[in-house]
Amino acid sequence: MDRKPAALVTSALSVLLSAAFIVGAPAGALAQARSLAEAYQIIATKEFVDLTHSFSPLTPVWKGFGQATFSAAADPATGRPYTIDRDGFRAQFFAMVGQYGTHIDPPAHFDPAGATVDEIPVKQMILPLVVFDLTPMLKSDPNHLLTVDDIKAWERMHGRVPAGCFAALRTDMYKDWDKNPRRFERYPFPAWSPAAIRFLYEQRGIVANGHESMDTDPTPGLESETWLLKHGHWQIEVMANLDKVPATGALIVVSWPKPQHGLGFPARAFAILP
């Protein structure tokens, strides 16, 4: 977990193959010549877990943004929607805010001088993954915020949070995304405390973080979210299936479209289990 990923290329396949290199190789092996075919043989045996929600015009979103709209793409000259019977193809038009469904928040979401989605390095899109499970604490405190003490207790069980990783917070809120959207939108909600976020970035050197809720924290000024975005970090919100991922040992792969100067966008995230 402390090892850095092998050199990445821009194709998604090469990114995944590099991930296999990390999982399957001992400490000095990253310097040795290995073929992509051999690396793929390793990763092909692993279990993949989708950490992404499907979204629709009906799924939860902050009331200040409003719901998405999906419609059939149409010929701009005639206004007639394309159909397979008539045109041999069909396409859709999507109108939505960038922060919709499972999505990335880049630093520029809160910081006018921060990096936009197209400026985040591809190498940061595949990282070792650690998961903090908040669910045992929620039985007595349904809106518990992860603390520094909680992180240190986790480390006593699983080892030090490795530098260069992606830290995710499991709350099981994702289970209400489809079946009980109002419950998903509750406020307050379990989340990161500002102290925990600062500790993970400043003392443990994580690269990014993610969670199941639509915000990083329920503080009045969104203290956790404001701090991390204004300090050059990025996050993934509205994650799913973190209950299917171990506390340590997995990799996370996250990707998103590349709009120029983009301030957020729906993302696709998945875990590769050890």
Side-chain angles (χ1 to χ4, degrees):
M1 291 291 292
D2 290 305
R3 306 179 198 112
K4 295 181 180 179
L8 304 177
V9 295
T10 55
S11 82
L13 178 59
S14 295
V15 168
L16 294 181
L17 295 176
S18 298
F21 223 120
I22 302 169
V23 174
L30 295 182
Q32 300 174 3
R34 293 280 303 271
S35 74
L36 291 180
E38 289 174 321
Y40 183 74
Q41 287 177 356
I42 296 171
I43 202 168
T45 67
K46 304 300 179 179
E47 181 181 353
F48 289 50
V49 175
D50 195 348
L51 305 178
T52 314
H53 286 288
S54 296
F55 62 85
S56 78
L58 302 177
T59 48
V61 66
W62 180 52
K63 62 183 179 181
F65 289 145
Q67 302 299 137
T69 58
F70 296 3
S71 58
D75 184 336
T78 65
R80 178 178 59 79
Y82 295 108
T83 67
I84 291 176
D85 289 342
R86 194 163 37 210
D87 305 293
F89 72 95
R90 58 181 177 171
Q92 285 178 294
F93 181 85
F94 301 95
M96 60 195 173
V97 68
Q99 277 70 22
Y100 202 81
T102 303
H103 64 269
I104 178 173
D105 281 342
H109 182 39
F110 276 23
D111 183 357
T116 51
V117 294
D118 53 317
E119 295 173 324
I120 295 173
V122 173
K123 194 169 184 177
Q124 291 188 11
M125 295 182 186
I126 179 167
L127 297 167
L129 174 62
V130 300
V131 179
F132 298 105
D133 183 2
L134 214 55
T135 58
M137 304 168 199
L138 303 184
K139 296 174 183 178
S140 58
D141 181 7
N143 299 311
H144 184 76
L145 302 184
L146 185 79
T147 67
V148 174
D149 285 343
D150 295 335
I151 296 169
K152 291 182 177 179
W154 182 96
E155 290 186 322
R156 287 192 289 272
M157 294 181 61
H158 304 290
R160 185 182 175 93
V161 175
C165 76
F166 183 106
L169 186 65
R170 174 191 168 189
T171 60
D172 285 357
M173 283 184 65
Y174 87 93
K175 295 178 180 179
D176 290 325
W177 174 257
D178 290 315
K179 69 180 183 181
N180 193 355
R182 288 188 179 180
R183 172 68 177 160
F184 180 87
E185 296 171 321
R186 69 189 184 275
Y187 183 94
F189 51 87
W192 307 93
S193 72
I197 282 290
R198 291 195 298 270
F199 177 82
L200 287 169
Y201 281 105
E202 293 182 333
Q203 302 299 320
R204 295 297 182 261
I206 69 170
V207 170
N209 68 279
H211 42 268
E212 299 174 39
S213 55
M214 290 190 287
D215 284 312
T216 318
D217 65 279
T219 61
L222 292 178
E223 293 177 37
S224 299
E225 185 160 351
T226 299
W227 186 91
L228 75 92
L229 295 178
K230 288 192 173 182
H231 282 77
H233 309 299
W234 57 273
Q235 65 177 2
I236 299 295
E237 297 194 299
V238 196
M239 299 180 74
N241 297 319
L242 288 171
D243 56 333
K244 300 176 176 62
V245 180
T248 63
L251 295 172
I252 188 170
V253 181
V254 188
S255 188
W256 51 83
K258 195 178 179 182
Q260 190 172 26
H261 309 312
L263 303 179
F265 218 98
R268 190 66 183 267
F270 63 92
I272 305 172
L273 304 194

